[in-house]
Amino acid sequence: MSYRDIITIEPDKRGGKPCIRRMRITVYDVLGWLAAGMSHSEILEDFPELTEEDIRACLEYAADREHRLVASLRDATRTAGDV
């Protein structure tokens, strides 16, 4: 399953931030918990509405976003250099 099946964006929910399955838990919440040192099992224990697949979807979303950002910057640099 792709993260696109799990991560949702609704303009009126959490300021349009990407959320997990239309819940109010954002990708950034999960990434922040992981960055703070929480394990997957700790997150799942604290938030039983989440699944392991939800956590992996957040990581996949972040990796894809980073990839698209780098590609966009590379394209912008080439265009600026051509001027």
Side-chain angles (χ1 to χ4, degrees):
M1 180 174 283
S2 168
Y3 76 83
R4 290 176 178 90
D5 298 323
I6 295 173
I7 305 303
T8 57
I9 298 175
E10 299 174 66
D12 296 336
K13 188 178 288 176
R14 296 294 305 265
K17 293 178 182 170
C19 293
I20 300 166
R21 294 184 287 111
R22 301 188 178 276
M23 292 187 277
R24 297 191 60 76
I25 300 173
T26 67
V27 169
Y28 307 112
D29 293 333
V30 174
L31 295 175
W33 299 327
L34 291 168
M38 288 181 77
S39 68
H40 289 209
S41 59
E42 289 172 322
I43 293 170
L44 297 175
E45 186 177 314
D46 286 353
F47 300 92
E49 62 272 32
L50 294 178
T51 66
E52 182 68 36
E53 190 173 40
D54 294 333
I55 295 172
R56 284 194 307 270
C58 291
L59 292 169
E60 185 182 350
Y61 176 88
D64 186 51
R65 184 168 184 217
E66 177 70 14
H67 174 76
R68 285 183 282 126
L69 176 65
V70 169
S72 295
L73 290 174
R74 187 176 23 230
D75 291 344
T77 302
R78 284 188 197 139
T79 303
D82 293 340
V83 175

